[in-house]
Amino acid sequence: MRFEADTEIAADAEQVWAVLVDVPRWPEWTASVTEAERGEPGPLAVGATARLTQPRLRPALWRVTELTERQEFVWVSEAPGVRTTGEHRLVPLPDGRTRVELAIDQSGPLAGLVGRLYAGLLRRYVRMEADGLRRRCEQG
């Protein structure tokens, strides 16, 4: 199961990246996350972890598996029978704006069931994250 949302932000990729990788501050700009804690200090990097608490979902530990500075990061959370991958991509646009592409992808033996049970919620959360990121980055 895959859920996607994208948006265009009137800010350059460097500004958007700075907000996106400041994971502990996510609850300030998206209602889809109520608590976010990094597992270690320092910049987000491959192997880094974060624990997210989201309404109506169990707290999840996410581990960064891919990261390209100011372009994208991918992280994974494992639960019995389901592997959830979160993708965060920034695409600089010629006019100085940034296109943000977000996705949640679920795989594993229980992914279909979990995806059907939580499809509406996951779709809303990905959209909330995209919209909240846009609002935060466009604040004057």
Side-chain angles (χ1 to χ4, degrees):
M1 303 289 295
R2 186 172 174 86
F3 308 94
E4 300 176 332
D6 56 55
T7 192
E8 290 187 9
I9 298 175
D12 66 31
E14 194 161 331
Q15 288 176 273
V16 177
W17 182 257
V19 173
L20 187 60
V21 297
D22 190 1
V23 176
R25 297 186 71 178
W26 283 20
E28 296 175 11
W29 53 262
T30 179
S32 66
V33 177
T34 54
E35 288 182 49
E37 299 174 339
R38 284 286 311 278
E40 51 284 308
L44 202 62
V46 171
T49 60
R51 183 176 177 80
L52 298 185
T53 302
Q54 299 181 269
R56 298 183 55 205
L57 297 174
R58 290 179 179 225
L61 180 68
W62 294 86
R63 181 173 307 280
V64 177
T65 57
E66 300 172 40
L67 186 139
T68 303
E69 269 305 309
R70 291 183 296 283
Q71 291 181 22
E72 75 175 319
F73 80 88
V74 176
W75 60 9
V76 172
S77 180
E78 306 265 358
V82 182
R83 176 185 173 100
T84 303
T85 302
E87 303 170 7
H88 310 77
R89 286 194 181 79
L90 306 185
V91 180
L93 300 175
D95 61 0
R97 295 166 53 88
T98 303
R99 179 178 177 81
V100 176
E101 299 170 349
L102 305 175
I104 290 287
D105 189 76
Q106 293 184 312
S107 59
L110 298 179
L113 174 63
V114 171
R116 282 189 294 281
L117 289 173
Y118 290 97
L121 184 67
L122 295 173
R123 206 170 278 114
R124 278 194 308 277
Y125 283 2
V126 174
R127 180 80 259 155
M128 288 167 78
E129 183 179 327
D131 293 344
L133 182 61
R134 185 186 70 246
R135 282 190 299 274
R136 171 56 65 99
C137 293
E138 291 180 350
Q139 285 176 344

